[in-house]
Amino acid sequence: MKKILILTTLLTLTAYTASSCGSKNNEPNKEITEPNKAKPEASAAASSVKIRLAAGQRLQVIAPSTGLTISGATQEGNSFVAGASGLVGIDGIRDTLSIQIPEATELVLDQELPRLKKLLVSAPGSKLAKLSFKGLPNLEDFTLVGANTQETLDLSHFGKLKHLTIGRRPTTDIEKADLNSLRRWLNDNMNDVSTTLGKLVLPRSLETLLLYRPVFAVEGWAQLPELRMLVLHTPDAAKLGTIDLVESKKLKRFGFSHILGSTPLARLALKNKPELRDLFWGPSIAMDVVEVDGANPKLGPIGQARVRDLQLHHLQQETILGLVGYLTQGLQSLDLRENPDVTEAQLVQIIEKLPAYNAQLVLSGAQATEAVRKALAKATTWSLSVK
C-alpha cells in the first residue's frame, strides 16, 4: 500500500510539473520593455539564430526593439557590430523578427522557435555559403530579400507558412491591393538585386506567393491547395521551368511580368480555377505553352505576351477575346476546343477579330461549321486544324 501511495504521489507530481511547463511555454507573450542589448563577450555558437559576418560588419535589428540579446557583437544604436570571430547570435525571439544582414556568409536558424510567426531577412550583397531554416513550426509569414546562395531553401516542412515573399519587402495588405497598386509595387525599383538560390521547395500551406526577380528553380507548384495569390516578376524562366497549378483551385489572383534573358517559360497551366478573379501579365514575357481552362477572370494590365501555343478551354467569349487581343507574332497555335458556352455566332466574331498572324486555329468537328469555315477563309493568314 505504501508503495502504491509513493507511486501515485510521483505520478501526480510528474503530471503537475508537465502541466506547469506546458502552461509556461504556451502562455502569451508578455510585454517586454527592456531594449535589445549586446553581449560582446558571449559566444553565439548556441544561439537560436546564428549569422556569420565579416569582423566589424553591421547587423541591424528592425523588429523587435525590445527583449533580444545579441551575442558576439557590440551595440551602436539599433545596429550591432560583429566581433573578431564574425559569428553573431540572436536570442530572446518571440513572435516577430526582422533583420538586415548585409554581406553575410551564413544564416542558420536550427533551434526550436515555436513562438516565431513572422520572419523578414534582408541580406543585400550576401553570399551565403550556409543557409538553414529549421525549428519554426508556427511560422506563418516569411520574407527573404537579396540573398545569393547555391543552397536549397526547403520550406516543405513548414506546415503553417501562409505568406512567402522572395526578393522584395511586401507592402501593407499586398494581398488586398488593387491591380494598379500591385503593378506599381512590382515595377518600382526595377534595379533591385535578384535573389539567387540553389532551389526553392514550396510548402503545401501557402496562400500567397510573391517572387520578385527570382533566379532559381521551384519545386512544388502542383501541390498548393491553399494558394490564393501568385505573382512572378522578372524570373529566370529557364530555371523556373513549368508552372502547373494543379491543386490550386482557390487561386484568385495571378500576375506575371517580365522575364530575365530570352528563354521563354516552358508552360503555364491555369486549369479549374473557378475563383480566379484577376489575371495580368506583361510586358516583356514569353511562354511556350499557356493553358487557361475553367476561369473567367477580370483581365488586368496585360502586355504584349509572346506565346507560341495558346489553349483556351471552358471560357466565355469575353475572356477569349481579351486574351487573344494581347498576342504577338510568336503565336503558332490557338486551341479553342471545349468551349461549350461559346456559340457559333460568337466563334465567328472571335475569328473576325483574330490578328493577322500565320497561325493555326484548332477546333473540334462540331465547332467547324460552314459559317465558321467561311469566316476563317477571310482570315487568309490562318489555317484550320480539326481535332
Side-chain angles (χ1 to χ4, degrees), residues 2 46 52 54 85 89 98 109 117 125 140 161 165 175 222 246 267 311 338 347 351 370-371:
K2 188 176 181 180
R52 179 78 65 180
S85 71
S98 178
L109 287 79
K117 293 185 176 181
E140 297 178 358
L161 187 61
T165 302
E175 301 88 41
V246 176
R267 185 168 181 264
Q311 303 171 17
E338 300 177 38
L347 184 55
I351 291 172
E370 182 179 354

Side-chain angles (χ1 to χ4, degrees), residues 42 66 160 163 249 256 266 293 363 373:
T66 61
K160 295 185 179 180
H163 311 292
K249 296 180 181 180
F256 181 16
D293 190 333
L363 300 175
R373 290 176 182 270

Side-chain angles (χ1 to χ4, degrees), residues 47-60:
S47 291
S48 301
V49 178
K50 292 179 279 290
I51 303 159
R52 179 78 65 180
L53 301 165
Q57 184 66 47
R58 292 174 180 271
L59 171 153
Q60 185 173 5

Side-chain angles (χ1 to χ4, degrees), residues 304-336:
Q304 292 287 321
R306 181 166 58 86
V307 180
R308 188 195 69 200
D309 182 354
L310 182 60
Q311 303 171 17
L312 304 178
H313 306 307
H314 299 100
L315 303 181
Q316 297 171 2
Q317 183 199 33
E318 182 182 1
T319 305
I320 294 173
L321 285 172
L323 292 170
V324 168
Y326 289 98
L327 299 177
T328 67
Q329 286 284 1
L331 183 69
Q332 297 178 18
S333 175
L334 174 61
D335 188 340
L336 296 182

Side-chain angles (χ1 to χ4, degrees), residues 131 133 142 144 151-159 161 164 166 197-206 209 211 216-224 240:
L131 177 67
F133 294 95
F142 178 36
L144 179 64
E151 294 279 281
T152 292
L153 181 56
D154 188 350
L155 304 178
S156 59
H157 55 287
F158 287 25
L161 187 61
L164 176 61
I166 304 288
L197 301 171
K199 181 170 63 175
L200 172 64
V201 184
L202 301 173
R204 290 178 57 86
S205 55
L206 277 185
L209 175 59
L211 299 181
F216 45 79
V218 177
E219 183 179 303
W221 289 120
Q223 299 175 338
L224 298 172
L240 208 58

